[in-house]
Amino acid sequence: MQQPLNEKKREVRDSIIRFSVSLPSGLLDELDNKITQNGYTSRSELIRDMIREKLVDEKWDKGESEGTKEHLGVLVLIYDHHQRGLNQKKNEIEHDSQLVQIVCTTHVHIDHNNCLETIILKGSKDDIERLCIEISGLLGVKFAKLTRTASFTEQI
């Protein structure tokens, strides 16, 4: 009996291919230090993550996300919640955003003055970046970083 085509694809997708890479000794030392610092169990794990990160960045920059214009991003903010009007302005920006969907937020009180917030965003790359710039530029925002993501398919 012949194997169904989707099972054959899965076997190919799940197979691991070994290849060798030549590196100068100094670069290999740096790679090994990164493995130790970040808790990786092998060079392969670190290199796979580095390749995935590069592919995500390229997809984001090209505006691609698996055949759709929708992207996901996570905006991390640290801000002074005592800053007059900051929460109201931030909420207005979030609520007025017609083009970016706010999927989820998490709010943590760091100390008496500072809050940490994560905002998961869905939309086009340009709209997500525009929204993040608008929020990041508010008076009282001390730190803002957008983590750009892409969907992970069988190739990644």
Side-chain angles (χ1 to χ4, degrees), residues 19-81:
F19 68 97
S20 62
V21 177
S22 300
L23 297 174
S25 62
L27 188 55
L28 182 62
D29 291 343
E30 286 186 45
L31 184 73
D32 287 342
N33 287 336
K34 196 164 182 68
I35 290 167
T36 304
Q37 291 169 357
N38 293 314
Y40 285 96
T41 57
S42 69
R43 290 176 180 158
S44 293
E45 286 297 321
L46 174 61
I47 291 169
R48 278 192 286 268
D49 274 358
M50 292 168 73
I51 291 170
R52 286 184 192 112
E53 182 178 349
K54 182 70 173 164
L55 291 173
V56 166
D57 286 345
E58 286 180 2
K59 282 183 178 191
W60 184 281
D61 290 338
K62 289 180 184 175
E64 299 172 3
S65 184
E66 300 313 311
T68 176
K69 294 194 180 227
E70 277 199 342
H71 287 66
L72 291 169
V74 181
L75 178 61
V76 177
L77 299 170
I78 296 178
Y79 60 89
D80 179 354
H81 76 267

Side-chain angles (χ1 to χ4, degrees), residues 1-36:
M1 180 184 276
Q2 213 174 22
Q3 225 175 0
L5 186 59
N6 61 350
E7 286 184 30
K8 286 181 182 178
K9 284 183 180 179
R10 189 172 323 155
E11 281 180 18
V12 170
R13 181 182 66 216
D14 293 343
S15 67
I16 300 292
I17 308 299
R18 286 193 166 82
F19 68 97
S20 62
V21 177
S22 300
L23 297 174
S25 62
L27 188 55
L28 182 62
D29 291 343
E30 286 186 45
L31 184 73
D32 287 342
N33 287 336
K34 196 164 182 68
I35 290 167
T36 304

